[in-house]
């Protein structure tokens, strides 16, 4: 990295070069984004490698996805990040590299911190005798609406290995909504002998909700769907409680199906980081496919094999993946065999729904829902009906 020099009126002044070998992050900062113009078609195309990508910064479109409220905060991969930018150069060059979480214990870093980095200050010339450095942090604008009444050290803490040391550990304790300035200053030098860098907290991706519904204008009682949210990544669904072939024909209609996914992001950050769209997939487990086989059908998919969910997907494609368009059992006996096999596996995952959010070609983040089927929706259904008389005379 290039070094920049600023002339000083004091001959022989020490110049600090701060090298960042770590930072304060909760995840990854990304700049690769998909082109918005094709977003409507991407949802139908599960081949992410064929998508068009650009280097548009998320800051240009900060409102492309609806923000997530403070609650809920689901237990999924932590994808947010703090990052450092060059501040007042004054003859300083900056490098950064994150400390792996696996190395926290070896470096005496608490497992509860958001992220950690090592900061190293290099003083020139080498023969300078005043190399002691003082480290400090402060909000860039302490009077801002978010920072007012808060203390920067509660969010970013810099701890030198010893008093005046050139090496320090910087940790991000929690998300912050005002940029923070980290300063390394020569203790026995003029006020301009210091290096600064800017700490941003990059918006954290929390995950995606998922909804799929089959609508019936003529018979609203036949409306059926799944609505999963980040409060519960292990949802339980009710299977339609009917053996009616006509009802299942409704669930086989592709033009009556609506699929949506909504991405959610943290509400506290200093730098936006959003993807423009997402895509949903589903796979069946072996336990579920065994139920399909018990109904007398041969599945055309393998357990764990994901396929795309979109508005062209019908519920029969999901429940009976036996052909291009799923075909439900046509007899009460077949329904009974199918439902009995499901009932034996109510404590097991039947489907997995994966909602993928692409931030770049190399950064695709998934929210996984593990789906079970409720026992209450698998109670025995009628198989036959008879009257006590075949004919009566009045």
């Amino acid at each position: 990295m290039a070094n920049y020099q600023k002339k000083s009126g004091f001959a022989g002044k020490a110049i600090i070069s701060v090298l960042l070998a770590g930072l304060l992050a909760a995840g990854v900062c990304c700049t690769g984004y998909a082109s918005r113009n094709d977003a409507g078609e991407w949802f139908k195309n599960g081949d992410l490698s064929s998508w068009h990508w650009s280097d548009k910064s998320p800051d240009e479109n900060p409102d492309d996805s609806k923000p997530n409220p403070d609650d809920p905060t689901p237990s999924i991969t932590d994808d947010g990040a703090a990052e450092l930018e060059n501040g007042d150069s004054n003859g300083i060059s900056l490098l950064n590299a994150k400390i792996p979480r696996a190395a926290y214990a070896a470096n005496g870093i608490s497992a509860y911190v958001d992220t950690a980095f090592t900061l190293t200050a290099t003083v020139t010339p080498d023969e300078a005798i005043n190399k002691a450095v003082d480290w400090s942090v402060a909000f860039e604008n302490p009077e801002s609406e978010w920072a007012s009444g808060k203390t920067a050290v509660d969010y970013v803490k810099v701890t030198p290995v010893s008093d005046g040391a050139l090496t320090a550990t910087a940790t991000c304790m929690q998300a912050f909504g005002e940029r923070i300035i980290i300063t390394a200053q020569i203790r026995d030098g003029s006020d301009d002998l210091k290096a600064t860098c800017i700490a941003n907290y990059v918006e954290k991706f929390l995950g995606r909700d998922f909804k799929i519904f089959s609508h019936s204008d003529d018979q609203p009682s036949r409306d059926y769907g799944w609505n999963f949210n980040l409060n519960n990544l292990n949802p339980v669904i009710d299977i339609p409680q009917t053996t009616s072939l006509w009802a299942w024909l409704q669930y086989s209609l592709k033009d009556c199906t609506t699929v949506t996914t909504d991405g959610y992001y943290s509400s506290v950050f200093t730098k936006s980081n959003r993807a423009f769209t997402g895509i949903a997939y589903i796979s069946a487990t072996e336990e579920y496919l065994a139920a399909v086989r018990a109904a007398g059908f041969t599945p055309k998919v393998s357990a764990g094999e994901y396929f795309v969910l979109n508005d062209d997907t019908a519920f029969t494609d999901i429940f009976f993946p036996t052909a291009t368009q799923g075909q439900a059992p046509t007899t009460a006996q077949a329904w009974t065999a199918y439902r009995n096999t499901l009932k034996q596996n109510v404590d097991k995952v039947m489907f997995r729904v994966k909602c993928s959010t692409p931030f770049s070609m190399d950064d695709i983040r998934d929210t996984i829902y593990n789906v079970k089927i409720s026992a209450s929706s698998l109670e025995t259904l009628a198989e036959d009906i008879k009257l006590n008389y075949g004919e009566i005379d009045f």
Side-chain angles (χ1 to χ4, degrees), residues 17-319:
S17 284
V18 176
L19 304 176
L20 300 180
L23 187 135
L24 0 118
V28 181
C29 175
C30 311
T31 57
Y33 285 78
S35 172
R36 179 197 302 267
N37 294 334
D38 298 328
E41 294 301 316
W42 292 345
F43 197 76
K44 299 181 180 180
N45 177 13
D47 183 7
L48 295 178
S49 64
S50 67
W51 288 21
H52 305 292
W53 304 90
S54 71
D55 293 327
K56 179 182 289 186
S57 168
D59 293 313
E60 297 176 27
N61 296 281
D63 295 319
D64 287 336
S65 298
K66 68 179 181 180
N68 183 59
D70 290 338
D71 293 315
T73 53
S75 178
I76 61 175
T77 302
D78 183 10
D79 289 314
E83 68 171 15
L84 295 185
E85 300 175 357
N86 288 336
D88 181 9
S89 63
N90 195 25
I92 298 169
S93 62
L94 297 176
L95 300 174
N96 72 80
K98 180 182 175 182
I99 297 177
R101 183 167 290 274
Y104 279 13
N107 288 275
I109 301 170
S110 169
Y112 296 101
V113 304
D114 204 323
T115 322
F117 290 74
T118 297
L119 307 180
T120 301
T122 301
V123 178
T124 56
D126 291 339
E127 61 271 19
I129 61 172
N130 57 330
K131 289 187 176 182
V133 171
D134 289 322
W135 299 86
S136 63
V137 297
F139 287 122
E140 183 177 52
N141 179 9
E143 303 302 322
S144 70
E145 181 178 357
W146 188 91
S148 179
K150 297 181 175 69
T151 304
V153 74
D154 291 335
Y155 300 88
V156 173
K157 186 177 181 180
V158 180
T159 306
V161 297
S162 61
D163 182 49
L166 299 180
T167 301
T169 298
T171 55
C172 176
M173 311 304 293
Q174 56 184 313
F176 49 91
E178 173 65 34
R179 300 205 303 178
I180 293 176
I181 309 300
I182 299 176
T183 301
Q185 182 166 2
I186 291 290
R187 180 174 294 174
D188 296 320
S190 61
D191 290 344
D192 64 337
L193 282 177
K194 61 184 179 181
T196 63
C197 60
I198 301 168
N200 278 304
Y201 196 88
V202 181
E203 190 173 24
K204 185 181 299 183
F205 174 71
L206 299 179
R208 280 192 172 273
D209 284 356
F210 169 73
K211 300 177 183 178
I212 178 170
F213 282 96
S214 178
H215 308 276
S216 174
D217 294 335
D218 297 331
Q219 299 184 64
S221 62
R222 298 299 186 193
D223 288 356
Y224 174 77
W226 305 345
N227 185 355
F228 303 157
N229 61 68
L230 299 179
N231 281 318
N232 181 14
L233 297 178
N234 300 284
V236 177
I237 64 168
D238 291 326
I239 198 168
Q241 295 178 291
T242 179
T243 60
S244 168
L245 178 60
W246 295 108
W248 276 99
L249 284 175
Q250 174 66 44
Y251 303 137
S252 70
L253 299 177
K254 298 177 183 297
D255 58 354
C256 293
T257 304
T258 301
V259 177
T260 59
T261 68
D262 292 322
Y264 291 91
Y265 301 80
S266 58
S267 58
V268 177
F269 58 91
T270 66
K271 190 171 185 178
S272 180
N273 180 41
R274 299 195 178 191
F276 291 148
T277 189
I279 190 166
Y281 306 81
I282 191 169
S283 67
T285 64
E286 183 55 43
E287 290 81 1
Y288 183 78
L289 295 182
V292 175
R293 297 185 188 101
F297 291 90
T298 301
K300 299 294 185 182
V301 299
S302 300
E305 177 185 351
Y306 281 101
F307 64 88
V308 179
L309 289 173
N310 54 46
D311 291 351
D312 290 331
T313 303
F315 272 98
T316 47
D317 298 332
I318 298 173
F319 285 116

